[in-house]
Amino acid sequence: GRCAFVGTDGRCGETGFLEFHHVVPFAMGGPSAVDNLQLRCRAHNAHEAAREGSDGRLRVPTRSGPS
């Protein structure tokens, strides 16, 4: 019931505003299975997404040239 993020100062103690964090990112084929999910507070979930180079938004390829 608390954030599972562990940093240089130890484990985060946040118990509010928890979100599911995919250990292997969903966008990279990570499943929404129990063994691939951890709880993160909102700040650490955003931190992990930024560190992985993802902001959580689906990227849709665009076409160039005439349609």
Side-chain angles (χ1 to χ4, degrees), residues 11 13 15-16 18-20 26 33 35-36 39 49 51 54 59 61 63 65-67:
R11 184 171 173 189
T15 59
L18 299 176
E19 303 175 346
F20 289 109
F26 185 76
D35 59 341
N36 191 46
L39 289 176
R51 193 175 76 166
S54 169
R59 304 266 188 238
R63 290 176 46 174
S67 46

Side-chain angles (χ1 to χ4, degrees), residues 57-63:
R57 290 186 282 180
L58 179 62
R59 304 266 188 238
V60 179
T62 58
R63 290 176 46 174

Side-chain angles (χ1 to χ4, degrees), residues 16-41:
F17 301 104
L18 299 176
E19 303 175 346
F20 289 109
H21 167 73
H22 287 81
V23 178
V24 177
F26 185 76
M28 297 177 72
S32 291
V34 172
D35 59 341
N36 191 46
L37 295 173
Q38 295 180 346
L39 289 176
R40 292 280 195 272
C41 64

Side-chain angles (χ1 to χ4, degrees), residues 25 27 45-57 59:
N45 201 21
H47 169 75
E48 293 281 337
R51 193 175 76 166
E52 294 163 356
S54 169
D55 60 6
R57 290 186 282 180
R59 304 266 188 238

